[in-house]
Amino acid sequence: MENAQSVATLMDSTTSKIQQLQKAFAELESHRAVTLNLKWKQLEEHFHGLEKSLKRRFTELEDQEKEFENKIVQSKKILENRQAAVICKEQSSLKSLQEKRDAAVSAITVAMEKHKKPNCVEPAGITHEVQGESSMFEAKPLDFIPLENTEDNMKPFKNDVVEVKLYPELIKLCQDMDSEGLHKFISDNRKNLAAVREEIPSALRTAVDPADLVLDSLKGFYPSEVLISDAKKDANLLGLRRTCIMLMECLSVLLTTLELDSISSLISESVKGRAKAIAKEWKPKLDELDIDANNGNSLEAHAFLQLLATFGINSNFNQEDLYKLIPMVSRRRQTADLCRSLGLSERMPGVIDVLVNNGKHIDAVNLAFAFELTDKFPPVSLLKSYLNEASKGSSPVKSGNASPTTAQNDVNDKQLTALKAVIKCIEDHKLEEQYPVDPLQKRLLQLEKEKADKKRATEVAKPQPKRPRANCVANGARVANVASDKNFYASRMTDRYPPQYIYDRPYAYPGPTDNHVPSFLGTAYNLPPGHGNFFTNGYHYQATYMH
């Protein structure tokens, strides 16, 4: 505003300046010796024109300044209104959250009252006045069996908040050392397997001997009536094996929460001897497995290594033999932890070399990140090499086995799988800056479009079966009465429109086309709805690690 006032002052003084200039010009004209071509009137008109132009521009600038100030005021009002609305929403959300929290606490209290027995006495381990207590089991010996009352179904957390356990029957099974019932319980609750898994370590703590219970659960891992080569076709057996692995993992979780003395009493020499006997029985069966067919997802090898790690008996076996089993479980998410537990961390560079040589570059990248070996095994180079190998054609087509079109489709499917795996690996390890995914996604879309076009072309080329016509099937003999002309047309009508059509076979609707995604791209295992996914199930080939 001060600048505008100074400009206005200068413009107002223009008239006095023009008058002074006129006097100077008149004085100059009185002293001139030669007549000047330029007249004062022209100069005066010129300066007046400049003055008008400046005033007009100044007025326009003032109007724009006022408009800008009005916009600023309006924007401030809008921001204030929005801020008030946000504060109002926050208060409303906090109020709603508090109401939900109160409702949850009330529901927990009601659930506790329903499970409470009339004559139950609250043990001292549940008293909330004891500071620093995080679990009712911490002050009790490992072989203590708690009473069957409401305390079995809840455990205190921080701030005296009590959690009601979801599966009290799980504790009962562990207390009874019922390994078969434990298997059945996990199978029946496979839809809520994540919640069951969280409860199992605490439930195992209530068992008389958790280690023996887990070893008992391993019965039937290698049933005598099922050949090793046919094990993959038995869905129930696969589910049982995943459950065995999960129970051994949960026992390991329980061991991490115990003191050293408690661990030595839990994993006694007799328990280790029993675990060694099981491991020695399993070891020869691993030699019969097809390493390539397992594709880094062998449940048998995983269970064997987990048995050694959980019970600490790996020193009784040749480390070189254990080292050779790692590629058989390279796709499983527990591989890195198993290698550390078994003391194989120093051998991981050799394992990664084996994986790369066998075309398992994705597994190699995952392990390189897990053991911080990315300097020796650059992830981007491994991923690019994997794509290059996938883009190459497969082995030459043998005569009589497959057509060139089928072979090309197999190559395209291989490229699609490789692209999806590489993109997933890049996203998991945040390598977008080193290896942009946009070109890969464009190539993926192109291959999917080509695959869809080929599929439509194949469906169009297939001959469509003709539906039988109703009047083309055998009818009964024509009935005609030649004795009377008046019945002639009636007989013709009977011939052309018989009272009932006889079909050779009933019309059947075509069954649904099997357009499911291949098993290794969808669920981790080929499980029917009878057993579902388990805690130790595999992950997609594109994923970081398998369950």
Side-chain angles (χ1 to χ4, degrees), residues 213-424:
L213 176 60
V214 173
L215 290 176
D216 289 341
S217 70
L218 302 182
K219 295 178 181 178
F221 194 92
Y222 285 102
S224 57
E225 65 274 9
V226 178
L227 297 176
I228 295 178
S229 58
D230 297 335
K232 289 186 177 181
K233 302 175 184 179
D234 192 337
N236 292 329
L237 179 58
L238 292 176
L240 182 143
R241 288 179 173 178
R242 295 189 194 98
T243 303
C244 292
I245 295 174
M246 183 184 69
L247 290 174
M248 288 190 287
E249 290 175 348
C250 290
L251 180 59
S252 298
V253 173
L254 173 61
L255 294 177
T256 59
T257 63
L258 299 177
E259 298 293 338
L260 185 60
D261 294 339
S262 299
I263 294 176
S264 60
S265 63
L266 177 61
I267 308 296
S268 60
E269 291 300 324
S270 61
V271 169
K272 286 188 176 181
R274 186 180 174 191
K276 291 177 189 176
I278 296 175
K280 290 180 180 180
E281 181 184 353
W282 286 2
K283 182 64 174 63
K285 301 180 185 297
L286 297 177
D287 299 334
E288 304 178 25
L289 296 176
D290 186 354
I291 297 178
D292 296 331
N294 283 281
N295 199 20
N297 186 26
S298 171
L299 289 175
E300 297 87 344
H302 184 187
F304 177 77
L305 295 175
Q306 188 66 55
L307 178 65
L308 303 187
T310 299
F311 293 91
I313 55 175
N314 53 299
S315 59
N316 299 96
F317 293 86
N318 189 351
Q319 295 293 304
E320 189 67 25
D321 293 339
L322 303 183
Y323 163 76
K324 293 179 181 179
L325 293 177
I326 301 301
M328 298 176 64
V329 295
S330 60
R331 287 179 56 191
R332 303 189 69 78
R333 66 168 181 81
Q334 304 94 333
T335 302
D337 292 335
L338 280 176
C339 291
R340 295 188 184 98
S341 300
L342 298 171
L344 299 176
S345 299
E346 296 180 356
R347 307 291 301 272
M348 293 315 296
V351 173
I352 295 176
D353 282 330
V354 172
L355 293 175
V356 173
N357 294 334
N358 291 335
K360 300 178 181 179
H361 297 70
I362 303 297
D363 300 340
V365 171
N366 292 332
L367 290 178
F369 273 100
F371 289 92
E372 298 181 354
L373 296 174
T374 53
D375 293 338
K376 187 175 181 180
F377 300 95
V380 175
S381 300
L382 291 177
L383 295 177
K384 289 182 178 180
S385 175
Y386 178 58
L387 287 179
N388 290 335
E389 291 185 9
S391 62
K392 296 177 183 178
S394 59
S395 59
V397 181
K398 297 181 181 180
S399 59
N401 290 339
S403 64
T405 303
T406 303
Q408 184 61 37
N409 291 336
D410 294 340
V411 173
N412 291 342
D413 291 341
K414 185 178 179 182
Q415 291 185 39
L416 280 171
T417 304
L419 282 170
K420 292 177 181 178
V422 169
I423 292 173
K424 184 68 167 58

